[in-house]
């Protein structure tokens, strides 16, 4: 758990319900930054001293804009790195940048799961134990218990895709960035559809 963020659920999560509110722990955040600064000072040249922006002496109002621009560029670089890790190539990224010049570009992760009934099978399973009866007249007899087992077989198909599209409601300009599909056969001992 992240010590800087303390979850405080306001409602149970469900479809269409709001997410729990997260309270920001400034003290925990400052403590983690100070620990990171100590580590950075070991790595950086001794003339560089990273500090909180408010603690820098003689900084101007313009410095806050430069800091905001720097952090925004860092965030954009992180987003580009994430897209690259997802397999977005140079041509796809150029298309997304072109779309973003005139409208919002939305990423959508869609997943589908389908369950299809295949067949029902019945088989007999012999017990591992035997019941032996001895009689002076009939001799020795053995009995085994045989159980009938019903099994239901299902095919589970799963697919997902990550799509970028121009606008916020979808439309004709869509770009499939990544996706996979797969299937597996599942055996159950009840006739209820697996969830």
């Amino acid at each position: 758990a992240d010590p800087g963020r303390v979850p405080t659920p306001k409602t149970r999560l469900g479809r269409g319900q709001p997410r729990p509110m997260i309270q920001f722990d400034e003290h925990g955040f400052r403590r983690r930054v100070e620990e990171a600064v100590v580590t950075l000072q070991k790595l950086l040249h001794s003339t560089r001293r990273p500090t909180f922006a408010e603690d820098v002496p003689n900084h101007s109002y313009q410095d806050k804009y430069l800091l905001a621009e720097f952090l925004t560029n860092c965030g954009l670089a992180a987003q580009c790195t994430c897209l690259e890790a997802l397999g977005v190539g140079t041509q796809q990224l150029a298309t997304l940048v072109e779309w973003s010049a005139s409208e919002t570009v939305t990423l959508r992760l869609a997943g589908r799961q389908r369950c299809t009934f295949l067949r029902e099978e019945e088989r007999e399973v012999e017990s591992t134990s035997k019941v032996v009866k001895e009689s002076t007249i009939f001799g020795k007899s053995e009995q085994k218990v045989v159980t009938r087992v019903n099994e239901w077989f299902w095919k589970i198909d799963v697919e997902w895709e990550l799509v970028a599209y121009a606008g916020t409601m979808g439309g004709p300009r869509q770009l499939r960035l990544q996706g996979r599909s797969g299937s597996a056969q599942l055996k159950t001992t009840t006739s209820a559809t697996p969830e």
Side-chain angles (χ1 to χ4, degrees):
D2 186 356
R5 298 184 84 161
V6 180
T8 56
K10 300 293 183 197
T11 61
R12 282 188 68 192
L13 288 179
R15 251 195 185 142
Q17 292 184 338
R19 297 186 182 277
M21 294 183 64
I22 305 294
Q23 291 181 343
F24 181 69
D25 178 13
E26 184 178 355
H27 177 72
F29 174 76
R30 284 188 171 275
R31 184 178 42 77
R32 288 194 324 272
V33 169
E34 288 166 1
E35 290 171 1
V37 165
V38 169
T39 304
L40 275 174
Q41 286 175 342
K42 293 176 186 175
L43 299 174
L44 296 175
H45 191 267
S46 62
T47 59
R48 296 185 181 181
R49 298 276 180 224
T51 61
F52 287 103
E54 64 190 35
D55 297 334
V56 175
N58 302 324
H59 76 280
S60 68
Y61 194 71
Q62 183 66 22
D63 292 339
K64 293 177 184 177
Y65 288 111
L66 293 174
L67 178 61
E69 180 183 4
F70 173 74
L71 293 175
T72 301
N73 288 336
C74 286
L76 289 172
Q79 291 297 319
C80 288
T81 301
C82 290
L83 290 173
E84 184 181 328
L86 289 170
V88 176
T90 307
Q91 184 62 36
Q92 291 173 315
L93 188 58
T95 302
L96 297 177
V97 169
E98 178 186 324
W99 289 353
S100 70
S102 61
E103 55 191 315
T104 302
V105 176
T106 304
L107 290 177
R108 180 185 70 213
L109 176 65
R112 289 175 281 288
Q113 179 177 323
R114 185 174 47 251
C115 180
T116 309
F117 175 71
L118 296 175
R119 67 187 180 280
E120 178 184 359
E121 289 184 3
E122 184 178 297
R123 62 186 175 95
E124 294 183 350
V125 178
E126 287 187 7
S127 173
T128 56
S129 60
K130 299 180 201 176
V131 177
V132 178
K133 292 184 180 179
E134 289 189 35
S135 170
T136 54
I137 300 172
F138 297 111
K140 190 178 188 183
S141 68
E142 290 183 1
Q143 291 181 339
K144 280 190 174 183
V145 176
V146 176
T147 306
R148 285 193 176 142
V149 176
N150 288 335
E151 296 172 329
W152 288 263
F153 291 85
W154 311 85
K155 181 180 179 189
I156 308 292
D157 296 302
V158 178
E159 60 183 288
W160 65 268
E161 66 178 355
L162 181 63
V163 177
Y165 56 88
T168 57
M169 302 300 290
R173 296 194 304 171
Q174 294 190 1
L175 181 62
R176 185 175 190 263
L177 302 175
Q178 192 69 264
R180 294 262 166 89
S181 64
S183 65
Q185 197 174 84
L186 184 66
K187 176 174 62 172
T188 63
T189 55
T190 65
S191 62
T193 305
E195 304 260 338

